[in-house]
């Protein structure tokens, strides 16, 4: 059963089309990244799902049902960092939130332990590092033990250490059985923490699915030989070779099969072409992403 299913969601702000017929499903237990640059519609989409905003058209289901207050109670949301009191301790800040949300105070130690802050629970919020402050914000979301977490740019503004802390926490929460939906403009972070992804550009869905299928980074070969033109000709005929590009000093060959460097070296020798260079490389993450955003129909 999908946790969230979007059906042709559209949203306009005056003449600005923020979202245009966006449809995808979020599998239960996934870490689902909504990826796109600023202005792509990520926050608008999360606002609609959390009932902060209303769509102009389209619909969505939570837990395979039309959304009601009961379904939303199973979701913890972090759309912006809570306004914690800087001079109060982490425990006191969460105590205020628990009272507002009508959750018992007995849950506070649990969420502080989950986020790795239990030993600092009596320290003032102002003494926390950026990563710790963000982990406290996630602890705030975990009060009441929701099944689903919606996080908008959870690593935004953090230093590398803080990003690593939040990334590890997301892995731990996912391993505990939570479904996590997060929006991000950071391509590298989505690849590292997400199992599934939907890519938005100017309010339109380009593609969605498992990360390793959507952001495919197939291996390719860089090769060289004394006679580059001969190498070019024979690699065009190699079974499973889908593209051959002759660069300044090397040849780049792409394949739709697993690359076997030894077999390719042998193939070239059998065709009287002796390789002087052979290296398996992986397409950069940025290149894979640009191929999607520049040619979404490919």
């Amino acid at each position: 059963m999908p946790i969230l299913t979007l059906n042709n969601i559209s949203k306009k702000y005056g003449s600005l089309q923020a979202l245009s017929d966006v449809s995808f499903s979020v599998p239960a237990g996934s870490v689902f990244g909504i990826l796109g640059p600023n202005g792509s519609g990520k926050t608008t989409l999360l606002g609609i799902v959390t009932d902060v905003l209303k769509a102009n058209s389209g619909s969505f289901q939570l837990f395979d049902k039309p959304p009601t207050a009961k379904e939303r109670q199973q979701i913890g949301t972090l759309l912006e960092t809570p306004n914690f009191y800087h001079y109060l301790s982490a425990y006191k800040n969460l105590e205020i939130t628990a009272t507002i949300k009508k959750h018992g105070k007995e849950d506070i130690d649990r969420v502080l332990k989950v986020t790795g802050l239990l030993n600092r629970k009596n320290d003032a919020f102002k003494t926390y590092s950026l990563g710790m402050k963000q982990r406290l914000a996630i602890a705030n979301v975990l009060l009441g033990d929701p099944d689903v977490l919606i996080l908008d740019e959870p690593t935004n503004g953090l230093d590398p250490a803080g990003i690593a802390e939040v990334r590890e926490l997301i892995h731990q929460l996912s391993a505990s059985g939570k479904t996590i939906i997060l929006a991000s403009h950071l391509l590298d972070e989505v690849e590292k923490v997400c199992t599934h992804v939907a890519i938005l550009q100017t309010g339109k869905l380009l593609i969605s699915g498992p990360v390793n299928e959507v952001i495919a980074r197939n291996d390719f070969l860089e090769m060289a030989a004394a006679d580059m033109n001969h190498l070019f000709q024979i690699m065009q005929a190699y079974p499973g070779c889908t593209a051959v590009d002759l660069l300044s000093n090397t040849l780049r060959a792409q394949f739709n099969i697993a690359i076997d460097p030894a077999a390719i070296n042998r193939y070239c020798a059998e065709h009287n072409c002796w390789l002087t260079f052979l290296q398996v490389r992986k397409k950069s993450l940025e290149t894979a992403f640009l191929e999607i955003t520049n040619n979404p129909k490919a």
Side-chain angles (χ1 to χ4, degrees):
M1 180 186 72
I3 291 296
L4 169 67
T5 302
L6 303 175
N7 304 301
N8 301 115
I9 296 290
S10 293
K11 176 66 176 178
K12 291 185 73 174
Y13 297 103
S15 61
L16 175 64
Q17 189 75 47
L19 293 170
S20 181
D21 294 322
V22 175
S23 301
F24 60 80
S25 294
V26 176
S30 64
V31 181
F32 197 102
I34 302 174
L35 175 64
N38 293 332
S40 61
K42 305 184 302 295
T43 299
T44 296
L45 186 61
L46 295 186
I48 291 170
V49 170
T50 56
D51 204 32
V52 175
L53 300 170
K54 296 294 183 183
N56 294 117
S57 61
S59 62
F60 67 94
Q61 290 80 44
L62 292 174
F63 307 99
D64 214 25
K65 300 176 183 178
T68 66
K70 181 180 179 181
E71 280 72 45
R72 290 194 177 91
Q73 285 175 356
Q74 300 176 61
I75 297 176
T77 304
L78 178 60
L79 294 186
E80 56 184 28
T81 302
N83 291 319
F84 291 121
Y85 292 96
H86 285 224
Y87 292 92
L88 292 182
S89 67
Y91 188 92
K92 287 294 184 182
N93 272 295
L94 292 185
E95 197 173 45
I96 293 169
T97 300
T99 301
I100 294 171
K101 292 184 175 182
K102 299 180 180 179
H103 293 310
K105 297 178 184 178
E106 65 277 2
D107 201 28
I108 296 176
D109 277 353
R110 180 189 68 83
V111 300
L112 287 170
K113 183 177 181 180
V114 168
T115 53
L117 296 172
L118 188 59
N119 64 337
R120 295 288 304 273
K121 72 175 186 178
N122 294 318
D123 294 343
F125 177 75
K126 66 177 182 177
T127 67
Y128 278 18
S129 68
L130 290 174
M132 292 170 66
K133 288 176 179 177
Q134 190 67 345
R135 281 189 281 142
L136 183 61
I138 294 175
N140 193 65
V141 172
L142 289 171
L143 287 170
D145 200 20
D147 298 320
V148 180
L149 306 178
I150 295 180
L151 312 175
D152 189 12
E153 301 277 5
T155 60
N156 196 31
L158 299 183
D159 57 19
I163 290 173
E165 289 175 25
V166 173
R167 183 194 305 149
E168 179 58 28
L169 177 56
I170 289 172
H171 283 308
Q172 292 173 7
L173 293 171
S174 174
S176 73
K178 304 288 185 189
T179 300
I180 302 170
I181 303 170
L182 64 90
S184 180
H185 67 278
L186 300 174
L187 180 60
D188 182 56
E189 285 307 303
V190 167
E191 190 191 40
K192 286 178 178 175
V193 303
C194 295
T195 60
H196 294 71
V197 65
I199 298 178
L200 296 179
Q201 188 176 50
T202 59
K204 296 179 180 179
L205 177 69
L206 299 185
I207 191 170
S208 66
V211 166
N212 60 354
E213 294 178 11
V214 171
I215 310 176
R217 294 207 283 154
N218 298 329
D219 292 340
F220 63 91
L221 277 183
E222 286 189 354
M223 313 166 66
D227 189 342
M228 293 294 288
N229 289 324
H230 182 43
L231 177 60
F232 181 83
Q233 291 171 359
I234 65 173
M235 287 308 300
Q236 283 185 314
Y238 187 85
C241 185
T242 59
V244 182
D245 297 303
L246 192 56
L247 308 177
S248 57
N249 298 312
T250 59
L251 179 144
R252 177 177 295 175
Q254 299 181 53
F255 303 82
N256 59 10
I257 59 173
I259 296 175
D260 185 344
I264 291 171
N265 189 40
R266 185 167 57 250
Y267 167 84
C268 291
E270 290 170 353
H271 288 78
N272 297 312
C273 184
W274 308 101
L275 298 180
T276 59
F277 177 76
L278 178 65
Q279 178 71 55
V280 180
R281 299 194 184 278
K282 186 177 286 290
K283 184 190 302 180
S284 74
L285 186 57
E286 290 76 13
T287 298
F289 184 70
L290 286 172
E291 288 177 356
I292 296 169
T293 54
N294 291 336
N295 189 16
K297 299 300 182 183

